[in-house]
Amino acid sequence: MLLPSNGAYAVLGKIVADVTGVPYAEAMRELVLTPLDMLSTDFPTTWPGGAVVTGYHLAEDGTFEEAERHVSTMAAAGGAWTTAPDLVRFGRNWTTLLPADKVAEAIRPQAGPGSAKVGLGWLVNPAGDLYGHSGAGPGAGASLLISLSAGEVTVAATNRQVPMEPVNARLRRPIA
């Protein structure tokens, strides 16, 4: 079974750096962030000034505790720091960076259990008319969902390390 892997994303980041001849973060700025006008996204190596001071996680007793501050040492695997508006820009416009056949292949279900499948870099749920990706780290969580048929984009983010997909999926449903 094929499942998402941070280690595999780290290897992919190394391949990107080797092929482009520049560090991964620089390649992403040139190839993705600048063309999509994602000017609030970066790959910090230390806790950035102006960032949320504290994230939280749920302690065993049900109270919130401050999460440890750290940044990913693998830029391609959890190293991007972004904002909700930049995630929306990415969700709306990533398809402009690739030929149509490569876009189709990226969101084509490749493998996985049940109705949720893994595409190339995306989690794909054809039955739910969705694809997207989520991320979490100490004190933070985010979810990007895109409609397969309409291209509508929703983003949910929090300063708690909790799964955001259920929240984001609820945002997509019409209010009854």
Side-chain angles (χ1 to χ4, degrees):
M1 177 179 358
L2 179 65
L3 296 173
S5 163
N6 282 345
Y9 280 109
V11 170
L12 181 59
K14 176 66 173 139
I15 292 169
V16 168
D18 288 350
V19 168
T20 62
V22 297
Y24 175 80
E26 186 177 332
M28 289 302 94
R29 280 186 210 97
E30 292 174 14
L31 299 170
V32 177
L33 303 179
T34 299
L36 297 184
D37 201 29
M38 296 175 64
L39 305 179
S40 296
T41 302
D42 201 7
F43 297 86
T45 56
T46 60
W47 195 268
V52 172
V53 176
T54 303
Y56 299 91
H57 66 265
L58 204 54
E60 291 202 19
D61 66 1
T63 61
F64 290 109
E65 291 180 339
E66 286 189 23
E68 180 182 340
R69 294 183 194 182
H70 81 292
V71 296
S72 176
T73 58
M74 298 182 292
W81 285 51
T82 193
T83 62
D86 270 8
L87 275 179
V88 170
R89 282 183 197 93
F90 182 78
R92 285 184 178 159
N93 301 306
W94 75 272
T95 58
T96 65
L97 301 173
L98 299 171
D101 63 324
K102 302 299 183 214
V103 169
E105 189 65 12
I107 59 176
R108 183 179 66 79
Q110 309 281 335
S115 62
K117 304 289 183 191
V118 178
L120 300 178
W122 295 104
L123 301 178
V124 184
N125 183 339
D129 188 42
L130 293 173
Y131 69 97
H133 207 286
S134 62
S143 169
L144 167 66
L145 291 177
I146 305 165
S147 164
L148 282 162
S149 63
E152 296 167 338
V153 175
T154 58
V155 168
T158 183
N159 65 336
R160 280 184 57 197
Q161 185 175 355
V162 295
M164 291 304 297
E165 293 83 0
V167 174
N168 202 0
R170 177 65 184 115
L171 291 172
R172 299 192 51 77
R173 289 188 290 229
I175 297 174

